[in-house]
Amino acid sequence: MSTGGSARAPGITAAEVCRAFELGKEAQELLQPALLPRPYLDLLIGHMLYPDAARFMAHAMPKREAIWWACLCARKVYGPSPPVKAAGALQAAETWLAKPTDEQRRAAFKAGEAAEFNNPAGLIGMAVLFSSGSLAPAGQAEVLPEPHLAANAVANAVILAAVMTDPGQANAHYAQFFEVGFEIANGKNRWK
């Protein structure tokens, strides 16, 4: 999602991105047929519709960039010493980002499962599993994930991260998160 369009496909509209998930009523009212993703995201943020904006950003970004965004948001709220299982899940997801093999994808999911899916790190592990490849065990008939599932898990991780430590600071967290998301979308913040 660059300044004028989307990283997914040039000229894609915000309405096309929104087909993959459900918007809140106020966010639906702001959506115009020809509106491009960045201006629509700016409208959502300007109207303080932060959960809708997080969902939109997660779906507008390519999957790996969205997962990187969720990792950085989670790291901001977990701080320098996340719980052991959360740290393991984040590390596994970041390893997959650097080396997106099926083995690393499944390892990231296992680490997310160990961290549990009620926190950002666990949801990020789920997003990695849903990003590509089969959901079936290795050697079984391929079962592909629905295209929107990775972005849904990313959005839930980001929304949960915003309220996890101090719900009263959610707006401040969202502001930081969107800033990081724009950096990633513009190619200025990449995984190692």
Side-chain angles (χ1 to χ4, degrees), residues 82 137 146 161 164 175 192:
E146 292 291 325
M164 186 175 79
K192 294 178 182 153

Side-chain angles (χ1 to χ4, degrees), residues 62-71 93 96-97 124 127-128 131 150 154:
K63 291 174 185 171
R64 284 176 72 199
E65 283 80 357
I67 290 167
W68 176 235
W69 177 48
C71 286
W96 171 82
L97 285 163
I124 291 167
V128 172
S131 68
V154 164

Side-chain angles (χ1 to χ4, degrees), residues 86-112:
L90 292 172
Q91 182 60 52
E94 291 165 0
T95 298
W96 171 82
L97 285 163
K99 186 179 178 185
T101 65
D102 190 61
E103 182 181 341
Q104 294 296 339
R105 180 179 68 92
R106 291 178 186 276
F109 175 71
K110 288 283 188 199

Side-chain angles (χ1 to χ4, degrees), residues 4-18 33-38 59-60:
S6 170
R8 288 193 169 218
I12 192 170
T13 66
E16 290 170 308
V17 173
C18 292
L35 195 58
L36 293 176
R38 179 59 194 261
H59 284 271

Side-chain angles (χ1 to χ4, degrees), residues 12-35:
I12 192 170
T13 66
E16 290 170 308
V17 173
C18 292
R19 288 184 190 142
F21 67 100
E22 191 171 329
L23 287 169
K25 185 178 181 199
E26 290 179 68
Q28 288 175 12
E29 292 170 358
L30 295 173
L31 188 60
Q32 301 298 316
L35 195 58

